[in-house]
Amino acid sequence: MPGNVDVLKRLLNRFVRLPSLYAVGVIIFIAAAIFLRVSDPFPVKALRLIAFDIYQQVAPGTYDPSLPVRIVDIDEESLKRLGQWPWPRSVIAELRDKLAADGAAVVAFDVMFAEADRTSLDRIAAGLPKPAAEALTKAVGTLPDNDALFAQSVARAPTVLAVTLNHGQGAPDFKSKAGFAIAGDDPRPFLQNYSGAVVNLPEIQNAAAGLGAINWIPDRDEVVRRVPLMFAKDDIIVPSLAAEALRVAQGASSFLLKASNASGESTYGRATGLNHIRIGQFEVPTDADGGVWVRYRQAHPEAYIPAWRILSGALNPDDIAGRIILVGTSAAGLIDLRATPLAQGVPGVEVHAQILEHILSGKFLTRPDYALPMELALVAVLGTVLAFLLPRMSALVAAPISLSLLIALPVGGWLAFTRAGLLFDPLYPALCLFLLVAGATAYLYRRTEQQRAEVRRAFGQYVSPTVVQQLIAHPEKLVLGGEERELTILFCDVRNFTSISEGLTATELTRFINELLTPLTDIILDRSGTVDKYMGDAVMAFWNAPLDDGDHARHACDAARVIAAEMKPLNERWRAEAEANGRAFKEVKIGIGLNTGICCVGNLGSTQRFDYSAIGDEVNVSSRLEGLSKFYGLTTVVSEGTASRCPDFSMIEIDLVQVKGRSRPSRLYTLLDTVGCSADQQSEIATAHGALLVKYRSRDWDAAEAALATCRSKGIAALETLYGLFESRIAEFRRIPPPADWNGAFVASEK
């Protein structure tokens, strides 16, 4: 094979080394993926939230009736029985007193009391004409104000009222009811900060044991997943309604906020916000802004107590005693509904209740500080490993490995969620790895196609299309360098080429060579052969390299048979062309030598230039056999090693010859298909020829001459030169008998 083998060398290197462009592309992709995740635009965040929502939807929390949290619900039935909202504060006070009487640990109102009760008689009278107002006052007398009644009720038992923080200018004198102890850095810069607040009437608010914010911080899709336990109004820390209710229920006076750089918090000197909030005896892990991820459960009717049942006394006090009572509404008309990962419309008071259950159960759902570094490490490490391994693996290996990693990420995230309550984002790393695998696959596929095209171009002119396809599918079978393997070698040469070329111009000679070698090459390639080289009018080819060919001897013999047959139409065409041009025509004859044996095959030559070729004693023998074809006047001369591997080909043994350069004699054969006899004659000729050899080698010269006459009577002109040689040998042996140890071998002194 010509110097194009250096192209093949480069191809193989590409199969086992990462191209620099590929490596740079992988590095850029991983860096871009890390940058995008750190910047965290909403589409990236949305992927993370989708994963967390799926976790909760597949495995939502379960309701635990033993937890001391209940909701007193201003539901549709209560509104129907007690009238439209807002109810008079006297009714709210009665509700509050009944809850206190039944032993509620605390009552927290998810309801604002920012305006005076318009159902108080003094306010009704104030809105009437003066005579009517005086008459009403005289008839009814002096009654206590509803707001005052409610304030007195609030003051009698632990009560938490709601406030709403905003970015306006309201409530400049607002103060929290709770105290705050801070360990570590100041957490206020990390809290959701507001400049204003909507508060309750002063007399009611002053009577309350606690104040809690009822603000929500939904995500961009308006779903409430995280709920802050702490807010900030200017420099004042404000607890949430749930956190404040839990504090008051325990009789605790303050919250302990543990932030970065507090004792036991590892932040390496950086201010990273809140880590934990202690509420009485409960310590709650939080995000930097004091938020907690809520593991939601489906709404459960046992958690709700209709308000009308409290007021009517139709309730077992044991359902209230010692519990945290949240007063809110599920009535759709009062529009206090929130979206959660489990439902589109959940009463806001339900979210407060589930936060309390979340804290009381101790089954926290957290996203640890190391979650992001771990996810980025997965992208970087697994991405690099996959990018490194993909070019070195077959598709059958790479596909299941890639698929397994892509499946392992969500499975790992799921196990962390269900077993440890940890939130890890599996989708973004999985998406990055998927895109990396897809991109690498596309890139490697494109390079493979380019390599295959180069392999086709490099090999297509030297080996058969079948071999080319096998090399493309299994490039590892192409071994560069030398290796020993059994080959069948074919040498084909034109007889008397010098005399033929003398009558041709350079252009005509070039055309003649091309017209001769092109069909011969096609015949070799079509039978899985490899063209080693062209030597003017001669061609050398071999079988069983670079790819294995178990029938290499048969394929070579078939090629020789067809090459011999191809010479007839070629000579007819050249004869017609010569006669048309008024030139004499001399028939073109060829000689073919075939031999099978162990050779060294591979890239042979120098470091500057080398060819894919075969060398060795068996190659030399094949060349000698081609030379002997002229001596015997035959088209094909086949070695014993080749003939023994082709029992289905019709051959006759032509001689026992000690080829020049060999110490042992070899039996030589010729293909009967190349001597011009029909298929019907082949068996008859083989029998007669075999008898000749037996008589000849047994020194029975008379019988040998008789057998020779029988062979010549068959009229096979192509064998006449061979029979002439036997005739002259017999005559010589009659004159000078061979030595006693003669084995019938003929010593060839010429190539």
Side-chain angles (χ1 to χ4, degrees):
M1 192 171 296
N4 286 341
V5 173
D6 58 350
V7 175
L8 302 175
K9 184 178 180 181
R10 293 197 302 270
L11 291 182
L12 291 177
N13 287 338
R14 290 171 186 168
F15 273 108
V16 297
R17 286 190 313 194
L18 289 177
S20 57
L21 181 61
Y22 176 84
V24 170
V26 169
I27 292 172
I28 291 175
F29 177 85
I30 293 176
I34 292 174
F35 174 79
L36 186 64
R37 177 59 187 86
V38 171
S39 58
D40 204 24
F42 180 73
V44 173
K45 183 178 181 180
L47 280 177
R48 183 164 66 254
L49 298 181
I50 288 172
F52 297 165
D53 288 353
I54 292 174
Y55 289 161
Q56 299 222 42
Q57 291 161 8
V58 174
T62 56
Y63 177 67
D64 183 358
S66 66
L67 294 175
V69 181
R70 293 293 184 270
I71 297 170
V72 171
D73 188 14
I74 304 171
D75 59 356
E76 299 287 354
E77 181 64 23
S78 297
L79 294 176
K80 184 185 298 184
R81 290 172 179 258
L82 301 174
Q84 68 180 15
W85 187 262
W87 291 339
R89 300 282 159 76
S90 57
V91 175
I92 302 296
E94 182 183 357
L95 177 66
R96 173 67 190 88
D97 290 340
K98 286 184 176 292
L99 291 171
D102 288 338
V106 65
V107 176
F109 284 92
D110 186 22
V111 178
M112 293 289 299
F113 304 104
E115 298 177 351
D117 185 357
R118 287 172 291 176
T119 64
S120 293
L121 287 181
D122 56 344
R123 286 177 178 75
I124 294 175
L128 296 175
K130 187 175 181 180
E134 291 175 351
L136 177 62
T137 301
K138 183 178 179 180
V140 178
T142 300
L143 294 176
D145 180 79
N146 287 350
D147 291 324
L149 287 174
F150 183 51
Q152 294 167 10
S153 175
V154 167
R156 283 193 292 268
T159 305
V160 176
L161 299 181
V163 297
T164 302
L165 304 177
N166 58 32
H167 294 289
Q169 301 298 320
D173 298 327
F174 176 83
K175 292 183 179 180
S176 292
K177 296 279 186 175
F180 296 92
I182 298 175
D185 299 316
D186 186 354
R188 281 173 287 193
F190 296 89
L191 303 180
Q192 295 287 337
N193 202 298
Y194 299 89
S195 59
V198 177
V199 297
N200 302 277
L201 293 175
E203 59 183 316
I204 299 175
Q205 186 155 303
N206 291 337
L211 299 174
I214 56 174
N215 294 69
W216 304 109
I217 311 296
D219 293 307
R220 188 171 172 177
D221 56 2
E222 296 302 318
V223 176
V224 179
R225 299 179 179 87
R226 292 173 60 257
V227 178
L229 295 183
M230 296 291 154
F231 301 88
K233 179 188 179 298
D234 298 326
D235 290 332
I236 300 171
I237 298 176
V238 182
S240 69
L241 183 70
E244 185 75 334
L246 182 58
R247 178 190 70 83
V248 173
Q250 298 178 89
S253 61
S254 61
F255 295 94
L256 173 60
L257 309 184
K258 297 181 68 177
S260 53
N261 293 306
S263 176
E265 304 295 340
S266 300
T267 56
Y268 306 101
R270 295 178 298 116
T272 56
L274 280 169
N275 292 319
H276 295 85
I277 297 175
R278 176 170 287 280
I279 310 173
Q281 63 177 331
F282 297 96
E283 185 167 275
V284 185
T286 70
D287 290 343
D289 60 357
V292 295
W293 293 84
V294 184
R295 184 167 186 178
Y296 287 98
R297 57 167 176 77
Q298 299 289 353
H300 197 284
E302 192 174 342
Y304 285 81
I305 302 172
W308 68 266
R309 294 187 63 195
I310 302 293
L311 292 169
S312 66
L315 186 71
N316 185 344
D318 292 340
D319 293 335
I320 302 297
R323 303 183 189 276
I324 299 173
I325 304 298
L326 298 171
V327 180
T329 178
S330 65
L334 299 185
I335 318 177
D336 184 25
L337 301 177
R338 300 289 181 266
T340 71
L342 301 185
Q344 291 296 318
V346 173
V349 68
E350 170 86 25
V351 178
H352 292 301
Q354 293 203 32
I355 295 169
L356 285 167
E357 292 174 359
H358 181 87
I359 297 172
L360 292 170
S361 68
K363 298 177 181 178
F364 298 110
L365 190 60
T366 59
R367 179 162 169 79
D369 294 338
Y370 57 83
L372 178 58
M374 178 180 291
E375 292 158 6
L376 296 180
L378 285 174
V379 172
V381 174
L382 293 182
T384 302
V385 170
L386 280 177
F388 180 79
L389 291 180
L390 283 177
R392 292 167 167 79
M393 297 185 294
S394 67
L396 291 178
V397 176
I401 289 178
S402 301
L403 184 61
S404 298
L405 286 177
L406 293 177
I407 294 175
L409 289 173
V411 170
W414 170 255
L415 292 176
F417 172 77
T418 55
R419 303 285 179 84
L422 299 177
L423 291 173
F424 291 103
D425 177 15
L427 292 189
Y428 185 75
L431 177 62
C432 290
L433 294 182
F434 173 78
L435 293 176
L436 181 64
V437 170
T441 302
Y443 176 81
L444 294 174
Y445 176 79
R446 178 174 176 272
R447 291 193 62 82
T448 300
E449 288 302 306
Q450 292 175 338
Q451 292 164 353
R452 287 178 176 176
E454 292 181 23
V455 170
R456 290 188 186 100
R457 287 193 296 271
F459 272 97
Q461 299 177 9
Y462 310 105
V463 296
S464 70
T466 302
V467 174
V468 172
Q469 294 302 323
Q470 292 185 51
L471 284 174
I472 291 170
H474 304 285
E476 70 279 0
K477 292 186 177 182
L478 179 60
V479 179
L480 297 181
E483 62 169 333
E484 286 192 350
R485 65 192 307 170
E486 185 179 77
L487 303 180
T488 296
I489 308 100
L490 177 149
F491 273 85
C492 179
D493 194 9
V494 176
R495 305 273 178 77
N496 301 318
F497 179 70
T498 302
S499 62
I500 294 174
S501 62
E502 287 176 350
L504 301 175
T505 66
T507 301
E508 291 172 336
L509 182 60
T510 300
R511 179 186 172 194
F512 166 74
I513 293 296
N514 291 340
E515 289 180 350
L516 172 66
L517 295 182
T518 296
L520 268 58
T521 300
D522 289 340
I523 292 168
I524 293 170
L525 299 184
D526 289 344
R527 285 151 184 82
S528 303
T530 298
V531 175
D532 184 300
K533 60 177 70 69
Y534 300 105
M535 299 160 288
D537 60 313
V539 59
M540 172 187 169
F542 52 77
W543 280 257
N544 202 33
L547 296 182
D548 295 336
D549 181 359
D551 291 329
H552 54 90
R554 294 185 64 260
H555 289 153
C557 287
D558 188 43
R561 177 183 59 80
V562 178
I563 288 173
E566 181 67 19
M567 294 309 299
K568 182 177 180 180
L570 284 175
N571 275 301
E572 290 175 352
R573 189 176 73 189
W574 291 329
R575 183 188 301 277
E577 291 176 355
E579 292 175 352
N581 293 323
R583 294 198 311 266
F585 174 73
K586 186 174 183 178
E587 184 179 3
V588 178
K589 296 182 179 181
I590 61 172
I592 299 173
L594 287 171
N595 181 42
T596 300
I598 301 298
C599 303
C600 178
V601 61
N603 283 326
L604 309 175
S606 68
T607 56
Q608 292 83 9
R609 183 176 179 84
F610 50 84
D611 292 337
Y612 190 77
S613 183
I615 59 173
D617 187 49
E618 302 296 343
V619 176
N620 298 332
V621 170
S622 181
S623 176
R624 301 288 189 274
L625 296 181
E626 182 276 318
L628 287 174
S629 68
K630 181 179 180 180
F631 175 76
Y632 289 110
L634 298 170
T635 300
T636 59
V637 177
V638 182
S639 73
E640 184 177 4
T642 303
S644 65
R645 290 167 174 79
C646 304
D648 52 337
F649 280 83
S650 296
M651 300 186 195
I652 58 172
E653 181 184 344
I654 58 176
D655 209 350
L656 181 62
V657 176
Q658 187 168 326
V659 181
K660 185 178 181 180
R662 299 293 292 270
S663 60
R664 292 184 303 172
S666 302
R667 296 184 187 276
L668 304 184
Y669 298 80
T670 191
L671 291 163
L672 285 177
D673 286 332
T674 65
V675 300
C677 63
S678 65
D680 295 336
Q681 292 178 295
Q682 290 180 4
S683 177
E684 185 180 343
I685 292 171
T687 300
H689 189 83
L692 167 63
L693 294 178
V694 171
K695 301 301 182 184
Y696 171 75
R697 291 168 181 166
S698 64
R699 307 185 188 207
D700 187 348
W701 310 125
D702 293 337
E705 285 181 337
L708 180 61
T710 301
C711 291
R712 280 177 161 170
S713 68
K714 306 301 179 182
I716 307 301
L719 295 175
E720 188 55 37
T721 300
L722 173 64
Y723 292 146
L725 289 173
F726 276 101
E727 183 181 23
S728 62
R729 290 179 189 176
I730 292 172
E732 181 66 17
F733 286 146
R734 283 183 182 275
R735 189 177 65 87
I736 305 175
D741 60 349
W742 179 68
N743 59 3
F746 167 73
V747 178
S749 59
E750 298 180 359
K751 175 181 176 181

